Amino acid sequence: MAETVSPSTPALLASLDPLLREWLPRQRWFAGKGAQVTGFSTVAETELLPSDGRLGLYHLLLRVHQPPAPVEAGDCYQLLIGAREALPPRLAPALIGHVTRGPLAGLTVYDALYDPRPAEVLLEALRTRARIGGLRFERDPGREIRDGLVARLLTAEQSNSSVVYGDTFILKLLRRVVPGVNPDLEIPLALAREGCARVPAPTAWLRAELGGDPYVLAVLQPFVRGATDGWELALRELAKGEDFTAEARALGRATAEVHTALARALPTVTLGQSQLEPQVAGMTARLAAAVQAVPALRPYEDGLRSAYTALADLAGEGRTWTAQRIHGDLHLGQCLRAPSGQWSLIDFEGEPARPLAERRMPQPPVRDIAGMLRSFDYAAHSVTPAAPDWARRCRAAYCSGYAEISGVDPRTDPVLLRAYETDKAVYEVVYEARHRPDWLPVPLSAVHRLATPDPT
């Protein structure tokens, strides 16, 4: 495709196009790495602050075109673009580039979330429930937002962007967006109605209404002051040689409380043979693709597939399971421990690479449990020497804590647990082979274990 801008491209995007082609693929949250960006089209463009030479602010929803995907199927990204005559040194990491033509000619454009003033514009719009173009800034009427909170961007690598306001709120701004009901807002709202204190209740949120398709763009929630995420805490305790089983048990209890509340708040379904067949078929297909992508899996292929056939056989014998809404991407990094010792679960978006409809489907709660068990294994292999006994103790304590609240120990259904943990480990093998080859031995060690069922 020619490196030209279509005559129908709006003037603002036309001027930004060459800069975005260079800048966008370098962003941690950009999902299309490895494929050339051949163009953009505007889904929505909203001026939040008119450019006066000192500061302009533009909200963009852009569809990014990359072969071989058809033009209409490109991913849609949310950008907050700032424009200044010159960028102060503190904003150097936010630089996108210098515009040479179009309405912003002569100005420097940058990722405005790095800049407190534009970030505070978003909070003020949420506070006042503003409507700007197709953007709808909405707030729970029972929750107040005071003004004067200073914004700061969290720079840790993640698939979205987060801004903290004072020590009161955190705004998660979704980067790759799709139309429909986003579980990152839907589930916390449902849990808030149930009075579940394990998940911070949404204070406000940003939506876009575009041609009848709703987009959830951002969610504002209370900031848990002084909290440590579970991954950082686990690594810290491992480095000190400290026991983590009490925290693992507490995490199991927190997970069960969230699952129990979700089962009350949203519909549940029964999985029998006909409902489970597509699940098993998906697992089997993912394994086959993984073996093609990572030859190191080939010696384990038959053993891993047996985890799925064993589950299908149980369903064929008439066994059923309950499925419900779950977290969908649970691991230690999705859990926060407050200074009080209270654990919270965050980030209910699910796996962003999977279709929204799939992320909103009821699933067996064991899928979340399998994700957490794998996370303990990863933590144990992040230290030298590895600490597999630490992982085994944490896995057991987590399951025991879960049983204390739910009344069901996940280990009492070993076939189901093995199938979902196998599916997760296979996914990890492919991910590590592509992105972090040095980490590949971690999921491969789990694959070696899971390929042979434990008779106990």
Side-chain angles (χ1 to χ4, degrees), residues 37 59 69 77 80 100 104 113 127 152 162 234 265 268 314 335 352 379 392 406 408 431 445:
V37 175
H59 182 279
Y77 288 90
L80 199 67
T100 58
L104 301 181
L113 287 181
R127 189 181 73 83
R152 60 182 173 90
S162 297
T268 63
L314 269 186
C335 306
R392 280 192 285 271
S406 70
V408 178
Y431 180 89
S445 68

PDB file of all heavy atoms in Angstrom, residues 37 59 69 77 80 100 104 113 127 152 162 234 265 268 314 335 352 379 392 406 408 431 445:
ATOM      1  N   VAL A  37       2.308  -0.633   9.712  1.00  0.00           N
ATOM      2  CA  VAL A  37       1.134   0.243   9.747  1.00  0.00           C
ATOM      3  C   VAL A  37       1.055   0.945   8.401  1.00  0.00           C
ATOM      4  O   VAL A  37       1.957   1.689   8.012  1.00  0.00           O
ATOM      5  CB  VAL A  37       1.245   1.276  10.882  1.00  0.00           C
ATOM      6  CG1 VAL A  37       0.077   2.265  10.819  1.00  0.00           C
ATOM      7  CG2 VAL A  37       1.275   0.589  12.238  1.00  0.00           C
ATOM      8  N   HIS A  59      -8.990  14.354  21.564  1.00  0.00           N
ATOM      9  CA  HIS A  59      -9.312  12.949  21.839  1.00  0.00           C
ATOM     10  C   HIS A  59      -9.582  12.275  20.502  1.00  0.00           C
ATOM     11  O   HIS A  59     -10.445  12.709  19.738  1.00  0.00           O
ATOM     12  CB  HIS A  59     -10.552  12.847  22.733  1.00  0.00           C
ATOM     13  CG  HIS A  59     -10.919  11.442  23.096  1.00  0.00           C
ATOM     14  ND1 HIS A  59     -11.631  10.625  22.250  1.00  0.00           N
ATOM     15  CD2 HIS A  59     -10.646  10.699  24.203  1.00  0.00           C
ATOM     16  CE1 HIS A  59     -11.808   9.447  22.825  1.00  0.00           C
ATOM     17  NE2 HIS A  59     -11.221   9.470  24.003  1.00  0.00           N
ATOM     18  N   ALA A  69      -5.057  -7.825   7.433  1.00  0.00           N
ATOM     19  CA  ALA A  69      -6.438  -7.581   7.858  1.00  0.00           C
ATOM     20  C   ALA A  69      -7.118  -6.619   6.890  1.00  0.00           C
ATOM     21  O   ALA A  69      -6.500  -5.650   6.426  1.00  0.00           O
ATOM     22  CB  ALA A  69      -6.461  -7.000   9.262  1.00  0.00           C
ATOM     23  N   TYR A  77      -7.898   2.313  18.355  1.00  0.00           N
ATOM     24  CA  TYR A  77      -7.124   2.765  19.514  1.00  0.00           C
ATOM     25  C   TYR A  77      -7.592   4.140  19.974  1.00  0.00           C
ATOM     26  O   TYR A  77      -8.010   4.972  19.164  1.00  0.00           O
ATOM     27  CB  TYR A  77      -5.628   2.831  19.180  1.00  0.00           C
ATOM     28  CG  TYR A  77      -4.997   1.475  19.047  1.00  0.00           C
ATOM     29  CD1 TYR A  77      -4.968   0.824  17.813  1.00  0.00           C
ATOM     30  CD2 TYR A  77      -4.448   0.822  20.139  1.00  0.00           C
ATOM     31  CE1 TYR A  77      -4.403  -0.438  17.683  1.00  0.00           C
ATOM     32  CE2 TYR A  77      -3.881  -0.434  20.022  1.00  0.00           C
ATOM     33  CZ  TYR A  77      -3.862  -1.052  18.798  1.00  0.00           C
ATOM     34  OH  TYR A  77      -3.312  -2.303  18.681  1.00  0.00           O
ATOM     35  N   LEU A  80      -4.995  10.349  23.377  1.00  0.00           N
ATOM     36  CA  LEU A  80      -5.197  11.698  23.899  1.00  0.00           C
ATOM     37  C   LEU A  80      -3.958  12.492  23.488  1.00  0.00           C
ATOM     38  O   LEU A  80      -2.867  12.259  24.027  1.00  0.00           O
ATOM     39  CB  LEU A  80      -5.366  11.670  25.416  1.00  0.00           C
ATOM     40  CG  LEU A  80      -6.030  12.911  26.029  1.00  0.00           C
ATOM     41  CD1 LEU A  80      -7.484  13.012  25.600  1.00  0.00           C
ATOM     42  CD2 LEU A  80      -5.926  12.889  27.537  1.00  0.00           C
ATOM     43  N   THR A 100       4.348  19.432  10.689  1.00  0.00           N
ATOM     44  CA  THR A 100       4.841  20.351   9.657  1.00  0.00           C
ATOM     45  C   THR A 100       3.740  20.879   8.748  1.00  0.00           C
ATOM     46  O   THR A 100       3.986  21.777   7.937  1.00  0.00           O
ATOM     47  CB  THR A 100       5.895  19.650   8.788  1.00  0.00           C
ATOM     48  OG1 THR A 100       5.320  18.484   8.186  1.00  0.00           O
ATOM     49  CG2 THR A 100       7.100  19.245   9.634  1.00  0.00           C
ATOM     50  N   LEU A 104      -2.245  21.894  12.931  1.00  0.00           N
ATOM     51  CA  LEU A 104      -1.299  21.982  14.049  1.00  0.00           C
ATOM     52  C   LEU A 104       0.125  22.252  13.560  1.00  0.00           C
ATOM     53  O   LEU A 104       1.092  22.039  14.297  1.00  0.00           O
ATOM     54  CB  LEU A 104      -1.323  20.695  14.877  1.00  0.00           C
ATOM     55  CG  LEU A 104      -2.666  20.308  15.504  1.00  0.00           C
ATOM     56  CD1 LEU A 104      -2.529  19.030  16.323  1.00  0.00           C
ATOM     57  CD2 LEU A 104      -3.212  21.433  16.368  1.00  0.00           C
ATOM     58  N   LEU A 113      -1.423  12.169  28.334  1.00  0.00           N
ATOM     59  CA  LEU A 113      -1.603  11.595  29.665  1.00  0.00           C
ATOM     60  C   LEU A 113      -0.374  11.810  30.548  1.00  0.00           C
ATOM     61  O   LEU A 113      -0.467  11.703  31.768  1.00  0.00           O
ATOM     62  CB  LEU A 113      -1.931  10.111  29.570  1.00  0.00           C
ATOM     63  CG  LEU A 113      -3.343   9.759  29.083  1.00  0.00           C
ATOM     64  CD1 LEU A 113      -3.535   8.258  29.065  1.00  0.00           C
ATOM     65  CD2 LEU A 113      -4.404  10.420  29.939  1.00  0.00           C
ATOM     66  N   ARG A 127     -16.238  14.767  36.665  1.00  0.00           N
ATOM     67  CA  ARG A 127     -16.869  15.379  37.844  1.00  0.00           C
ATOM     68  C   ARG A 127     -18.147  16.099  37.474  1.00  0.00           C
ATOM     69  O   ARG A 127     -19.155  16.031  38.195  1.00  0.00           O
ATOM     70  CB  ARG A 127     -15.898  16.336  38.527  1.00  0.00           C
ATOM     71  CG  ARG A 127     -16.356  16.859  39.886  1.00  0.00           C
ATOM     72  CD  ARG A 127     -15.347  17.814  40.486  1.00  0.00           C
ATOM     73  NE  ARG A 127     -15.355  19.096  39.807  1.00  0.00           N
ATOM     74  CZ  ARG A 127     -16.234  20.078  40.076  1.00  0.00           C
ATOM     75  NH1 ARG A 127     -17.156  19.909  41.001  1.00  0.00           N
ATOM     76  NH2 ARG A 127     -16.174  21.214  39.416  1.00  0.00           N
ATOM     77  N   ARG A 152      -1.000  12.118  37.999  1.00  0.00           N
ATOM     78  CA  ARG A 152       0.300  11.571  37.620  1.00  0.00           C
ATOM     79  C   ARG A 152       0.080  10.249  36.902  1.00  0.00           C
ATOM     80  O   ARG A 152      -0.725   9.411  37.321  1.00  0.00           O
ATOM     81  CB  ARG A 152       1.209  11.373  38.838  1.00  0.00           C
ATOM     82  CG  ARG A 152       0.671  10.441  39.898  1.00  0.00           C
ATOM     83  CD  ARG A 152       1.617  10.322  41.102  1.00  0.00           C
ATOM     84  NE  ARG A 152       1.026   9.556  42.183  1.00  0.00           N
ATOM     85  CZ  ARG A 152       1.143   8.246  42.317  1.00  0.00           C
ATOM     86  NH1 ARG A 152       1.826   7.560  41.424  1.00  0.00           N
ATOM     87  NH2 ARG A 152       0.573   7.627  43.338  1.00  0.00           N
ATOM     88  N   SER A 162      -2.854   4.205  32.995  1.00  0.00           N
ATOM     89  CA  SER A 162      -3.506   4.541  34.257  1.00  0.00           C
ATOM     90  C   SER A 162      -2.960   5.847  34.808  1.00  0.00           C
ATOM     91  O   SER A 162      -1.746   6.076  34.807  1.00  0.00           O
ATOM     92  CB  SER A 162      -3.293   3.419  35.288  1.00  0.00           C
ATOM     93  OG  SER A 162      -3.900   2.213  34.858  1.00  0.00           O
ATOM     94  N   ALA A 234       4.814 -11.027  46.457  1.00  0.00           N
ATOM     95  CA  ALA A 234       5.304 -12.405  46.440  1.00  0.00           C
ATOM     96  C   ALA A 234       6.810 -12.444  46.182  1.00  0.00           C
ATOM     97  O   ALA A 234       7.549 -13.182  46.851  1.00  0.00           O
ATOM     98  CB  ALA A 234       4.560 -13.213  45.382  1.00  0.00           C
ATOM     99  N   ALA A 265     -24.953 -11.937  41.286  1.00  0.00           N
ATOM    100  CA  ALA A 265     -25.259 -10.710  40.551  1.00  0.00           C
ATOM    101  C   ALA A 265     -25.598 -10.945  39.089  1.00  0.00           C
ATOM    102  O   ALA A 265     -26.391 -10.203  38.505  1.00  0.00           O
ATOM    103  CB  ALA A 265     -24.068  -9.749  40.649  1.00  0.00           C
ATOM    104  N   THR A 268     -25.990 -17.498  35.797  1.00  0.00           N
ATOM    105  CA  THR A 268     -25.136 -18.681  35.725  1.00  0.00           C
ATOM    106  C   THR A 268     -25.775 -19.680  34.765  1.00  0.00           C
ATOM    107  O   THR A 268     -26.976 -19.618  34.484  1.00  0.00           O
ATOM    108  CB  THR A 268     -24.954 -19.340  37.099  1.00  0.00           C
ATOM    109  OG1 THR A 268     -26.238 -19.801  37.565  1.00  0.00           O
ATOM    110  CG2 THR A 268     -24.391 -18.351  38.110  1.00  0.00           C
ATOM    111  N   LEU A 314     -15.669 -37.233  31.069  1.00  0.00           N
ATOM    112  CA  LEU A 314     -16.522 -36.999  32.235  1.00  0.00           C
ATOM    113  C   LEU A 314     -17.858 -36.409  31.820  1.00  0.00           C
ATOM    114  O   LEU A 314     -18.912 -36.800  32.322  1.00  0.00           O
ATOM    115  CB  LEU A 314     -15.818 -36.051  33.212  1.00  0.00           C
ATOM    116  CG  LEU A 314     -14.938 -36.651  34.304  1.00  0.00           C
ATOM    117  CD1 LEU A 314     -14.472 -35.538  35.234  1.00  0.00           C
ATOM    118  CD2 LEU A 314     -15.690 -37.711  35.092  1.00  0.00           C
ATOM    119  N   CYS A 335      -4.042  -8.447  41.720  1.00  0.00           N
ATOM    120  CA  CYS A 335      -4.511  -8.411  43.105  1.00  0.00           C
ATOM    121  C   CYS A 335      -3.732  -7.354  43.869  1.00  0.00           C
ATOM    122  O   CYS A 335      -2.510  -7.219  43.693  1.00  0.00           O
ATOM    123  CB  CYS A 335      -4.312  -9.779  43.777  1.00  0.00           C
ATOM    124  SG  CYS A 335      -5.053 -11.155  42.874  1.00  0.00           S
ATOM    125  N   PRO A 352      -7.280  -9.184  26.670  1.00  0.00           N
ATOM    126  CA  PRO A 352      -7.689  -8.236  25.621  1.00  0.00           C
ATOM    127  C   PRO A 352      -7.628  -8.806  24.217  1.00  0.00           C
ATOM    128  O   PRO A 352      -8.348  -8.347  23.330  1.00  0.00           O
ATOM    129  CB  PRO A 352      -6.683  -7.079  25.793  1.00  0.00           C
ATOM    130  CG  PRO A 352      -6.182  -7.200  27.192  1.00  0.00           C
ATOM    131  CD  PRO A 352      -6.182  -8.669  27.495  1.00  0.00           C
ATOM    132  N   ALA A 379       6.101 -17.001  39.976  1.00  0.00           N
ATOM    133  CA  ALA A 379       6.826 -16.302  41.035  1.00  0.00           C
ATOM    134  C   ALA A 379       7.961 -17.177  41.575  1.00  0.00           C
ATOM    135  O   ALA A 379       9.090 -16.705  41.781  1.00  0.00           O
ATOM    136  CB  ALA A 379       5.875 -15.911  42.159  1.00  0.00           C
ATOM    137  N   ARG A 392       4.293 -24.940  45.603  1.00  0.00           N
ATOM    138  CA  ARG A 392       3.351 -25.995  45.989  1.00  0.00           C
ATOM    139  C   ARG A 392       2.607 -25.610  47.273  1.00  0.00           C
ATOM    140  O   ARG A 392       1.400 -25.841  47.382  1.00  0.00           O
ATOM    141  CB  ARG A 392       4.108 -27.320  46.180  1.00  0.00           C
ATOM    142  CG  ARG A 392       4.406 -28.042  44.888  1.00  0.00           C
ATOM    143  CD  ARG A 392       4.888 -29.461  45.139  1.00  0.00           C
ATOM    144  NE  ARG A 392       6.254 -29.485  45.628  1.00  0.00           N
ATOM    145  CZ  ARG A 392       7.332 -29.533  44.850  1.00  0.00           C
ATOM    146  NH1 ARG A 392       7.187 -29.553  43.540  1.00  0.00           N
ATOM    147  NH2 ARG A 392       8.543 -29.571  45.371  1.00  0.00           N
ATOM    148  N   SER A 406     -16.138 -20.729  49.574  1.00  0.00           N
ATOM    149  CA  SER A 406     -17.056 -21.299  48.580  1.00  0.00           C
ATOM    150  C   SER A 406     -17.657 -22.629  49.005  1.00  0.00           C
ATOM    151  O   SER A 406     -18.703 -23.031  48.497  1.00  0.00           O
ATOM    152  CB  SER A 406     -16.315 -21.490  47.252  1.00  0.00           C
ATOM    153  OG  SER A 406     -15.365 -22.546  47.366  1.00  0.00           O
ATOM    154  N   VAL A 408     -16.217 -25.346  48.312  1.00  0.00           N
ATOM    155  CA  VAL A 408     -15.742 -26.314  47.323  1.00  0.00           C
ATOM    156  C   VAL A 408     -14.239 -26.119  47.132  1.00  0.00           C
ATOM    157  O   VAL A 408     -13.793 -25.032  46.759  1.00  0.00           O
ATOM    158  CB  VAL A 408     -16.465 -26.137  45.971  1.00  0.00           C
ATOM    159  CG1 VAL A 408     -15.916 -27.130  44.941  1.00  0.00           C
ATOM    160  CG2 VAL A 408     -17.965 -26.306  46.138  1.00  0.00           C
ATOM    161  N   TYR A 431       3.415 -17.765  24.342  1.00  0.00           N
ATOM    162  CA  TYR A 431       3.741 -16.375  24.652  1.00  0.00           C
ATOM    163  C   TYR A 431       5.235 -16.221  24.921  1.00  0.00           C
ATOM    164  O   TYR A 431       5.894 -15.317  24.390  1.00  0.00           O
ATOM    165  CB  TYR A 431       2.930 -15.900  25.847  1.00  0.00           C
ATOM    166  CG  TYR A 431       3.224 -14.462  26.221  1.00  0.00           C
ATOM    167  CD1 TYR A 431       2.513 -13.423  25.637  1.00  0.00           C
ATOM    168  CD2 TYR A 431       4.242 -14.145  27.134  1.00  0.00           C
ATOM    169  CE1 TYR A 431       2.799 -12.097  25.958  1.00  0.00           C
ATOM    170  CE2 TYR A 431       4.543 -12.836  27.447  1.00  0.00           C
ATOM    171  CZ  TYR A 431       3.814 -11.814  26.859  1.00  0.00           C
ATOM    172  OH  TYR A 431       4.118 -10.512  27.156  1.00  0.00           O
ATOM    173  N   SER A 445       8.138 -26.470  32.426  1.00  0.00           N
ATOM    174  CA  SER A 445       8.182 -27.326  33.621  1.00  0.00           C
ATOM    175  C   SER A 445       6.780 -27.723  34.042  1.00  0.00           C
ATOM    176  O   SER A 445       6.546 -28.844  34.508  1.00  0.00           O
ATOM    177  CB  SER A 445       8.915 -26.611  34.758  1.00  0.00           C
ATOM    178  OG  SER A 445       8.173 -25.499  35.237  1.00  0.00           O
TER     179      SER A 445
END
